[in-house]
Amino acid sequence: MHLSLFNLKEKVIESIWLVCALFSVLTVIFILLFLFKDSIAGFVQIGILPFLTGMTWNPVAAVPSYGIAPLIVGTLLVTLGSMVIAVPLSIGTAVYIAELAPPRVKLVIKPAIELLAGIPSVVYGFFGLMVMTNWLRVLFDQPSGESWLAGSLLLGIMALPTITSVAEDAIRSVPQEYREGSLAVGATRWQTISKVVLPAALSGITAAIILGMGRAIGETMAVMMVTGNSALIPSPITNVLSPVRTLTGTLGIEMGEVASGSLHYHALFGVAVVLLLITLIVNLGAVLILKRLNAQRPAGAFLVNAPDVVRRVVKLVPLLIAVLIIYALGGIIGLVLLACVGVLWLAAQRLSPRTAQRIAFFFLYLGVGLVILVLGIILFDIVSHGLPAISWEFLTTAPRDLGRAGGIFPAIVGTLYLVAGSILFALPFGVGAAIYLNEYRMEGYLTRMIRTGIDLLNGTPSIVFGLFGFTFLVLYLNLGVSMLAGQLTLGLMVLPTIIRTTEEALKNVPSSLREGSFALGATRWQTISRVVLPSALAGIITGTILSIGRAAGETAPILFTAVVFSQRYLPSSIMDPVMALPYHLFILSTNVPGSSQNKYGTALVLIMLVIGIYSIAIYLRNHFQQTTRY
């Protein structure tokens, strides 16, 4: 009887963790269901082909037009431009960190890259709007610097940490004997890196680039603030100074003002469906490549064992890049640039290996220096302009005169309320899902389905979470624009981060600890709760802090679900709307002239809050990596 009660308890606990794991799959299904439900009327009335290929988007005209071709083209152009900027810098930085950086330098460079990832997108957009667009306006003598080029520059900076991190992992995964063998036959260090290490890590680097593309395609606030938001295809198409509008920008601009149930409303959900499908395809492609990389060791097996057509495509990549350069810069300019590159390449073939190595390392150091310089410029601009705004009154009073005067206290408290609620909601489900995936189930159909759901949820753009929260929580469940709706929406967004970091922490617990516990007669749950979880606690805490940082800096998920621009008093219940620092900064930047000092102060408070949270996570990770011994 006693044994059967123990078995029943174990089954109940396992079922609870299974429900937690399936929650992510159900969330993806619900997101798809509600997006398609609200988009079907638009597809039926407009027609799928006219909707996708129409050249005019003007829903408020006397005769409304709902063609999203300019939005798709704008999204692709901005993304292409960002990859041209981000990929060389990211790969160069990843090579430097993985292969060349001394340990002490690496301890500085890696956190700097991670801090770039931690800067909220609305802060990037604020910097782009206040500084970058002015630089471009003056440099090119244009009426406005808000353009395709501004969006690409900003997204390139934002995608850089993602590509660098994944590419560095791929480079470090190349077996050390590859390097030793190359050096043993007389190759220089650069020859080893360029002809052995990078080809062996090609699949991981490809996945990094695809993930960076997904990050760029799904970005909302930054591109909305700097691209000009004109739903026109640039004429000529190579005019990088032309304003453009993206799919995400359209949703962010128009969703808050559209009448629920109108054709315009349904068309916007159609835009969200197209955006979601694009990002899911891109992110799943990266996930599949990474799985192929992890499944085939030694590194480089992906390319060696790939079908002949794949190897031919890989060899055509330089030609494809050349075509894109000509296309992006215009015929004559692009050809001149390519001719210069070709001459330099031919000259490089005649250089001695040592000279070639010195030149290559110079450009690697230059690229890393440029990345650090960008981080320094962003931080310096915000800190130097924001510090004069910081005072006790600014931090402890409510805004006045549309935010031009007074403080941001309700926004600080509202941000903390939203973050705390989202973590309280997401943490049990995230930890439970990770426990089930790592401790209860072997790899099989069910776990593959759950992991696919987590991957899809992780790749979903933040604006899509906002739309789902609006249509499901605000309208369908009748929660209204409230703190609770924002907390649940943010919780869904950070759920994949908690699952992944927790599962990684559980994997790092040695199997010998579990086996020793089982040998002493402990049940599976006793082993997990008393041995595994305490050992993995540091990693779980780190993942939770990273999720807190992400939730604190997001704007798009709370745009339609939780926030108001200004209120004098703190919310009295979870059903009240709240102020939040990211949204407050966005409105000050785009709609309130004469608020320069307060918006810089708001940006500084937000960036210090988020960077402080990420810094704690980085410190804890490094501390436990150095002190943990099993």
Side-chain angles (χ1 to χ4, degrees), residues 317-356:
V317 167
L319 177 61
L320 176 62
I321 293 174
V323 172
L324 290 176
I325 291 174
I326 295 175
Y327 181 74
L329 297 180
I332 296 177
I333 297 176
L335 284 172
V336 170
L337 179 62
L338 282 175
C340 294
V341 172
V343 170
L344 290 174
W345 183 81
L346 289 173
Q349 305 307 303
R350 305 177 66 87
L351 295 175
S352 69
R354 297 294 176 186
T355 303

mmCIF file of all heavy atoms in Angstrom, residues 317-356:
data_model
loop_
_atom_site.group_PDB
_atom_site.id
_atom_site.type_symbol
_atom_site.label_atom_id
_atom_site.label_comp_id
_atom_site.label_asym_id
_atom_site.label_seq_id
_atom_site.Cartn_x
_atom_site.Cartn_y
_atom_site.Cartn_z
ATOM 1 N N VAL A 317 28.082 31.102 -52.581
ATOM 2 C CA VAL A 317 27.800 32.195 -51.645
ATOM 3 C C VAL A 317 28.578 33.462 -51.988
ATOM 4 O O VAL A 317 28.014 34.557 -52.005
ATOM 5 C CB VAL A 317 28.054 31.744 -50.193
ATOM 6 C CG1 VAL A 317 28.070 32.942 -49.243
ATOM 7 C CG2 VAL A 317 26.987 30.750 -49.757
ATOM 8 N N PRO A 318 29.923 33.396 -52.264
ATOM 9 C CA PRO A 318 30.629 34.638 -52.631
ATOM 10 C C PRO A 318 30.032 35.330 -53.846
ATOM 11 O O PRO A 318 29.939 36.560 -53.879
ATOM 12 C CB PRO A 318 32.063 34.161 -52.901
ATOM 13 C CG PRO A 318 32.194 32.893 -52.105
ATOM 14 C CD PRO A 318 30.849 32.249 -52.183
ATOM 15 N N LEU A 319 29.626 34.531 -54.857
ATOM 16 C CA LEU A 319 29.015 35.129 -56.043
ATOM 17 C C LEU A 319 27.696 35.813 -55.673
ATOM 18 O O LEU A 319 27.392 36.914 -56.151
ATOM 19 C CB LEU A 319 28.783 34.053 -57.105
ATOM 20 C CG LEU A 319 28.075 34.523 -58.399
ATOM 21 C CD1 LEU A 319 28.903 35.596 -59.088
ATOM 22 C CD2 LEU A 319 27.830 33.327 -59.322
ATOM 23 N N LEU A 320 26.909 35.162 -54.803
ATOM 24 C CA LEU A 320 25.640 35.746 -54.370
ATOM 25 C C LEU A 320 25.872 37.071 -53.643
ATOM 26 O O LEU A 320 25.165 38.060 -53.875
ATOM 27 C CB LEU A 320 24.903 34.772 -53.459
ATOM 28 C CG LEU A 320 23.593 35.270 -52.836
ATOM 29 C CD1 LEU A 320 22.582 35.598 -53.927
ATOM 30 C CD2 LEU A 320 23.025 34.227 -51.884
ATOM 31 N N ILE A 321 26.885 37.110 -52.780
ATOM 32 C CA ILE A 321 27.210 38.348 -52.064
ATOM 33 C C ILE A 321 27.600 39.442 -53.051
ATOM 34 O O ILE A 321 27.208 40.608 -52.908
ATOM 35 C CB ILE A 321 28.336 38.090 -51.048
ATOM 36 C CG1 ILE A 321 27.831 37.158 -49.932
ATOM 37 C CG2 ILE A 321 28.842 39.397 -50.459
ATOM 38 C CD1 ILE A 321 28.913 36.742 -48.962
ATOM 39 N N ALA A 322 28.376 39.065 -54.074
ATOM 40 C CA ALA A 322 28.782 40.051 -55.085
ATOM 41 C C ALA A 322 27.569 40.629 -55.798
ATOM 42 O O ALA A 322 27.465 41.851 -56.005
ATOM 43 C CB ALA A 322 29.728 39.398 -56.092
ATOM 44 N N VAL A 323 26.631 39.776 -56.163
ATOM 45 C CA VAL A 323 25.412 40.243 -56.834
ATOM 46 C C VAL A 323 24.619 41.180 -55.929
ATOM 47 O O VAL A 323 24.114 42.220 -56.366
ATOM 48 C CB VAL A 323 24.547 39.035 -57.264
ATOM 49 C CG1 VAL A 323 23.190 39.518 -57.783
ATOM 50 C CG2 VAL A 323 25.257 38.231 -58.337
ATOM 51 N N LEU A 324 24.521 40.827 -54.645
ATOM 52 C CA LEU A 324 23.781 41.666 -53.705
ATOM 53 C C LEU A 324 24.440 43.026 -53.535
ATOM 54 O O LEU A 324 23.758 44.045 -53.394
ATOM 55 C CB LEU A 324 23.664 40.951 -52.354
ATOM 56 C CG LEU A 324 22.752 39.729 -52.322
ATOM 57 C CD1 LEU A 324 22.811 39.060 -50.950
ATOM 58 C CD2 LEU A 324 21.312 40.113 -52.650
ATOM 59 N N ILE A 325 25.778 43.059 -53.539
ATOM 60 C CA ILE A 325 26.484 44.341 -53.409
ATOM 61 C C ILE A 325 26.188 45.231 -54.608
ATOM 62 O O ILE A 325 25.897 46.424 -54.472
ATOM 63 C CB ILE A 325 27.998 44.113 -53.254
ATOM 64 C CG1 ILE A 325 28.303 43.464 -51.878
ATOM 65 C CG2 ILE A 325 28.756 45.419 -53.383
ATOM 66 C CD1 ILE A 325 29.743 43.077 -51.696
ATOM 67 N N ILE A 326 26.260 44.648 -55.808
ATOM 68 C CA ILE A 326 25.948 45.422 -57.016
ATOM 69 C C ILE A 326 24.508 45.932 -56.957
ATOM 70 O O ILE A 326 24.210 47.091 -57.240
ATOM 71 C CB ILE A 326 26.156 44.562 -58.278
ATOM 72 C CG1 ILE A 326 27.637 44.195 -58.435
ATOM 73 C CG2 ILE A 326 25.665 45.299 -59.517
ATOM 74 C CD1 ILE A 326 27.907 43.265 -59.585
ATOM 75 N N TYR A 327 23.613 45.046 -56.516
ATOM 76 C CA TYR A 327 22.187 45.391 -56.454
ATOM 77 C C TYR A 327 21.927 46.492 -55.429
ATOM 78 O O TYR A 327 21.179 47.434 -55.661
ATOM 79 C CB TYR A 327 21.393 44.135 -56.100
ATOM 80 C CG TYR A 327 19.900 44.360 -56.021
ATOM 81 C CD1 TYR A 327 19.148 44.532 -57.178
ATOM 82 C CD2 TYR A 327 19.252 44.379 -54.793
ATOM 83 C CE1 TYR A 327 17.781 44.735 -57.115
ATOM 84 C CE2 TYR A 327 17.885 44.578 -54.715
ATOM 85 C CZ TYR A 327 17.154 44.758 -55.886
ATOM 86 O OH TYR A 327 15.807 44.951 -55.816
ATOM 87 N N ALA A 328 22.577 46.370 -54.262
ATOM 88 C CA ALA A 328 22.316 47.307 -53.173
ATOM 89 C C ALA A 328 22.944 48.672 -53.419
ATOM 90 O O ALA A 328 22.368 49.695 -53.072
ATOM 91 C CB ALA A 328 22.821 46.731 -51.849
ATOM 92 N N LEU A 329 24.124 48.716 -54.031
ATOM 93 C CA LEU A 329 24.838 49.981 -54.184
ATOM 94 C C LEU A 329 24.634 50.627 -55.551
ATOM 95 O O LEU A 329 25.048 51.760 -55.766
ATOM 96 C CB LEU A 329 26.340 49.760 -53.950
ATOM 97 C CG LEU A 329 26.728 49.293 -52.544
ATOM 98 C CD1 LEU A 329 28.229 49.113 -52.468
ATOM 99 C CD2 LEU A 329 26.267 50.294 -51.497
ATOM 100 N N GLY A 330 23.982 49.928 -56.419
ATOM 101 C CA GLY A 330 23.816 50.487 -57.756
ATOM 102 C C GLY A 330 24.883 49.954 -58.691
ATOM 103 O O GLY A 330 25.982 49.602 -58.269
ATOM 104 N N GLY A 331 24.575 49.887 -59.978
ATOM 105 C CA GLY A 331 25.438 49.213 -60.933
ATOM 106 C C GLY A 331 26.879 49.660 -60.942
ATOM 107 O O GLY A 331 27.787 48.886 -60.657
ATOM 108 N N ILE A 332 27.150 50.931 -61.222
ATOM 109 C CA ILE A 332 28.533 51.389 -61.397
ATOM 110 C C ILE A 332 29.285 51.368 -60.070
ATOM 111 O O ILE A 332 30.403 50.851 -59.974
ATOM 112 C CB ILE A 332 28.554 52.809 -62.011
ATOM 113 C CG1 ILE A 332 27.956 52.774 -63.426
ATOM 114 C CG2 ILE A 332 29.962 53.361 -62.039
ATOM 115 C CD1 ILE A 332 27.870 54.129 -64.091
ATOM 116 N N ILE A 333 28.654 51.917 -59.007
ATOM 117 C CA ILE A 333 29.328 51.948 -57.703
ATOM 118 C C ILE A 333 29.619 50.531 -57.226
ATOM 119 O O ILE A 333 30.717 50.225 -56.742
ATOM 120 C CB ILE A 333 28.456 52.690 -56.672
ATOM 121 C CG1 ILE A 333 28.264 54.151 -57.111
ATOM 122 C CG2 ILE A 333 29.082 52.632 -55.286
ATOM 123 C CD1 ILE A 333 27.351 54.942 -56.212
ATOM 124 N N GLY A 334 28.641 49.648 -57.383
ATOM 125 C CA GLY A 334 28.846 48.271 -56.947
ATOM 126 C C GLY A 334 29.939 47.568 -57.728
ATOM 127 O O GLY A 334 30.765 46.850 -57.159
ATOM 128 N N LEU A 335 29.971 47.800 -59.048
ATOM 129 C CA LEU A 335 31.009 47.178 -59.867
ATOM 130 C C LEU A 335 32.396 47.703 -59.498
ATOM 131 O O LEU A 335 33.365 46.947 -59.445
ATOM 132 C CB LEU A 335 30.714 47.435 -61.345
ATOM 133 C CG LEU A 335 29.590 46.597 -61.969
ATOM 134 C CD1 LEU A 335 29.269 47.084 -63.370
ATOM 135 C CD2 LEU A 335 29.972 45.113 -61.983
ATOM 136 N N VAL A 336 32.492 49.016 -59.245
ATOM 137 C CA VAL A 336 33.786 49.600 -58.854
ATOM 138 C C VAL A 336 34.253 48.991 -57.540
ATOM 139 O O VAL A 336 35.429 48.617 -57.379
ATOM 140 C CB VAL A 336 33.681 51.131 -58.742
ATOM 141 C CG1 VAL A 336 34.942 51.709 -58.102
ATOM 142 C CG2 VAL A 336 33.455 51.749 -60.124
ATOM 143 N N LEU A 337 33.330 48.895 -56.580
ATOM 144 C CA LEU A 337 33.691 48.321 -55.288
ATOM 145 C C LEU A 337 34.140 46.872 -55.439
ATOM 146 O O LEU A 337 35.152 46.451 -54.864
ATOM 147 C CB LEU A 337 32.502 48.413 -54.327
ATOM 148 C CG LEU A 337 32.716 47.822 -52.938
ATOM 149 C CD1 LEU A 337 33.842 48.554 -52.212
ATOM 150 C CD2 LEU A 337 31.434 47.902 -52.109
ATOM 151 N N LEU A 338 33.389 46.108 -56.235
ATOM 152 C CA LEU A 338 33.762 44.702 -56.431
ATOM 153 C C LEU A 338 35.094 44.586 -57.157
ATOM 154 O O LEU A 338 35.889 43.677 -56.867
ATOM 155 C CB LEU A 338 32.667 43.981 -57.220
ATOM 156 C CG LEU A 338 31.435 43.582 -56.415
ATOM 157 C CD1 LEU A 338 30.384 42.985 -57.334
ATOM 158 C CD2 LEU A 338 31.793 42.586 -55.327
ATOM 159 N N ALA A 339 35.347 45.488 -58.104
ATOM 160 C CA ALA A 339 36.637 45.463 -58.802
ATOM 161 C C ALA A 339 37.772 45.712 -57.818
ATOM 162 O O ALA A 339 38.815 45.040 -57.869
ATOM 163 C CB ALA A 339 36.648 46.509 -59.909
ATOM 164 N N CYS A 340 37.579 46.657 -56.903
ATOM 165 C CA CYS A 340 38.604 46.926 -55.891
ATOM 166 C C CYS A 340 38.824 45.714 -55.006
ATOM 167 O O CYS A 340 39.969 45.335 -54.696
ATOM 168 C CB CYS A 340 38.201 48.130 -55.046
ATOM 169 S SG CYS A 340 38.159 49.695 -55.959
ATOM 170 N N VAL A 341 37.703 45.090 -54.584
ATOM 171 C CA VAL A 341 37.820 43.888 -53.746
ATOM 172 C C VAL A 341 38.539 42.782 -54.507
ATOM 173 O O VAL A 341 39.391 42.064 -53.956
ATOM 174 C CB VAL A 341 36.424 43.424 -53.278
ATOM 175 C CG1 VAL A 341 36.513 42.065 -52.571
ATOM 176 C CG2 VAL A 341 35.800 44.456 -52.357
ATOM 177 N N GLY A 342 38.205 42.637 -55.808
ATOM 178 C CA GLY A 342 38.854 41.603 -56.600
ATOM 179 C C GLY A 342 40.349 41.828 -56.729
ATOM 180 O O GLY A 342 41.147 40.888 -56.624
ATOM 181 N N VAL A 343 40.756 43.094 -56.958
ATOM 182 C CA VAL A 343 42.184 43.408 -57.054
ATOM 183 C C VAL A 343 42.886 43.097 -55.738
ATOM 184 O O VAL A 343 43.983 42.509 -55.714
ATOM 185 C CB VAL A 343 42.374 44.886 -57.448
ATOM 186 C CG1 VAL A 343 43.839 45.295 -57.307
ATOM 187 C CG2 VAL A 343 41.901 45.120 -58.872
ATOM 188 N N LEU A 344 42.248 43.492 -54.627
ATOM 189 C CA LEU A 344 42.839 43.208 -53.316
ATOM 190 C C LEU A 344 42.951 41.707 -53.080
ATOM 191 O O LEU A 344 43.948 41.226 -52.521
ATOM 192 C CB LEU A 344 41.998 43.863 -52.210
ATOM 193 C CG LEU A 344 42.043 45.402 -52.148
ATOM 194 C CD1 LEU A 344 41.066 45.917 -51.103
ATOM 195 C CD2 LEU A 344 43.463 45.882 -51.830
ATOM 196 N N TRP A 345 41.930 40.962 -53.522
ATOM 197 C CA TRP A 345 41.964 39.497 -53.330
ATOM 198 C C TRP A 345 43.102 38.875 -54.140
ATOM 199 O O TRP A 345 43.829 38.009 -53.640
ATOM 200 C CB TRP A 345 40.626 38.901 -53.743
ATOM 201 C CG TRP A 345 40.551 37.415 -53.497
ATOM 202 C CD1 TRP A 345 40.278 36.772 -52.331
ATOM 203 C CD2 TRP A 345 40.779 36.392 -54.474
ATOM 204 N NE1 TRP A 345 40.307 35.412 -52.503
ATOM 205 C CE2 TRP A 345 40.625 35.138 -53.808
ATOM 206 C CE3 TRP A 345 41.109 36.402 -55.833
ATOM 207 C CZ2 TRP A 345 40.775 33.934 -54.455
ATOM 208 C CZ3 TRP A 345 41.253 35.181 -56.470
ATOM 209 C CH2 TRP A 345 41.086 33.971 -55.792
ATOM 210 N N LEU A 346 43.262 39.328 -55.396
ATOM 211 C CA LEU A 346 44.343 38.790 -56.219
ATOM 212 C C LEU A 346 45.703 39.149 -55.625
ATOM 213 O O LEU A 346 46.635 38.336 -55.624
ATOM 214 C CB LEU A 346 44.229 39.338 -57.646
ATOM 215 C CG LEU A 346 43.059 38.797 -58.480
ATOM 216 C CD1 LEU A 346 42.957 39.544 -59.804
ATOM 217 C CD2 LEU A 346 43.227 37.297 -58.718
ATOM 218 N N ALA A 347 45.798 40.378 -55.103
ATOM 219 C CA ALA A 347 47.062 40.778 -54.483
ATOM 220 C C ALA A 347 47.342 39.944 -53.250
ATOM 221 O O ALA A 347 48.493 39.580 -52.961
ATOM 222 C CB ALA A 347 47.016 42.267 -54.127
ATOM 223 N N ALA A 348 46.259 39.628 -52.519
ATOM 224 C CA ALA A 348 46.430 38.831 -51.295
ATOM 225 C C ALA A 348 46.958 37.435 -51.606
ATOM 226 O O ALA A 348 47.667 36.833 -50.782
ATOM 227 C CB ALA A 348 45.107 38.735 -50.540
ATOM 228 N N GLN A 349 46.623 36.908 -52.791
ATOM 229 C CA GLN A 349 47.101 35.573 -53.140
ATOM 230 C C GLN A 349 48.616 35.531 -53.320
ATOM 231 O O GLN A 349 49.249 34.471 -53.232
ATOM 232 C CB GLN A 349 46.422 35.086 -54.436
ATOM 233 C CG GLN A 349 44.899 35.107 -54.383
ATOM 234 C CD GLN A 349 44.347 34.374 -53.185
ATOM 235 O OE1 GLN A 349 44.623 33.190 -52.977
ATOM 236 N NE2 GLN A 349 43.555 35.073 -52.369
ATOM 237 N N ARG A 350 49.218 36.699 -53.584
ATOM 238 C CA ARG A 350 50.660 36.764 -53.820
ATOM 239 C C ARG A 350 51.431 37.121 -52.546
ATOM 240 O O ARG A 350 52.654 37.168 -52.561
ATOM 241 C CB ARG A 350 50.967 37.780 -54.919
ATOM 242 C CG ARG A 350 50.203 37.504 -56.220
ATOM 243 C CD ARG A 350 50.492 38.572 -57.253
ATOM 244 N NE ARG A 350 51.882 38.535 -57.685
ATOM 245 C CZ ARG A 350 52.341 37.766 -58.673
ATOM 246 N NH1 ARG A 350 51.515 36.976 -59.334
ATOM 247 N NH2 ARG A 350 53.625 37.804 -59.008
ATOM 248 N N LEU A 351 50.675 37.424 -51.466
ATOM 249 C CA LEU A 351 51.345 37.766 -50.220
ATOM 250 C C LEU A 351 51.881 36.525 -49.540
ATOM 251 O O LEU A 351 51.349 35.419 -49.707
ATOM 252 C CB LEU A 351 50.368 38.484 -49.276
ATOM 253 C CG LEU A 351 49.833 39.852 -49.723
ATOM 254 C CD1 LEU A 351 48.798 40.342 -48.736
ATOM 255 C CD2 LEU A 351 50.982 40.848 -49.851
ATOM 256 N N SER A 352 52.911 36.698 -48.756
ATOM 257 C CA SER A 352 53.393 35.581 -47.943
ATOM 258 C C SER A 352 52.374 35.280 -46.863
ATOM 259 O O SER A 352 51.599 36.148 -46.457
ATOM 260 C CB SER A 352 54.733 35.954 -47.297
ATOM 261 O OG SER A 352 54.546 36.960 -46.313
ATOM 262 N N PRO A 353 52.328 34.024 -46.368
ATOM 263 C CA PRO A 353 51.356 33.674 -45.320
ATOM 264 C C PRO A 353 51.461 34.569 -44.090
ATOM 265 O O PRO A 353 50.439 34.921 -43.497
ATOM 266 C CB PRO A 353 51.711 32.219 -44.998
ATOM 267 C CG PRO A 353 52.327 31.688 -46.252
ATOM 268 C CD PRO A 353 53.081 32.843 -46.830
ATOM 269 N N ARG A 354 52.656 34.955 -43.699
ATOM 270 C CA ARG A 354 52.817 35.795 -42.506
ATOM 271 C C ARG A 354 52.233 37.185 -42.742
ATOM 272 O O ARG A 354 51.567 37.750 -41.871
ATOM 273 C CB ARG A 354 54.306 35.909 -42.141
ATOM 274 C CG ARG A 354 54.944 34.582 -41.762
ATOM 275 C CD ARG A 354 54.353 34.044 -40.474
ATOM 276 N NE ARG A 354 54.886 32.721 -40.160
ATOM 277 C CZ ARG A 354 54.464 31.969 -39.156
ATOM 278 N NH1 ARG A 354 53.512 32.430 -38.359
ATOM 279 N NH2 ARG A 354 54.981 30.769 -38.947
ATOM 280 N N THR A 355 52.480 37.743 -43.940
ATOM 281 C CA THR A 355 51.931 39.065 -44.242
ATOM 282 C C THR A 355 50.409 39.017 -44.320
ATOM 283 O O THR A 355 49.717 39.898 -43.809
ATOM 284 C CB THR A 355 52.503 39.583 -45.570
ATOM 285 O OG1 THR A 355 53.930 39.608 -45.497
ATOM 286 C CG2 THR A 355 51.979 40.976 -45.881
ATOM 287 N N ALA A 356 49.893 37.964 -44.963
ATOM 288 C CA ALA A 356 48.437 37.800 -45.045
ATOM 289 C C ALA A 356 47.831 37.694 -43.651
ATOM 290 O O ALA A 356 46.759 38.241 -43.378
ATOM 291 C CB ALA A 356 48.095 36.566 -45.879
#
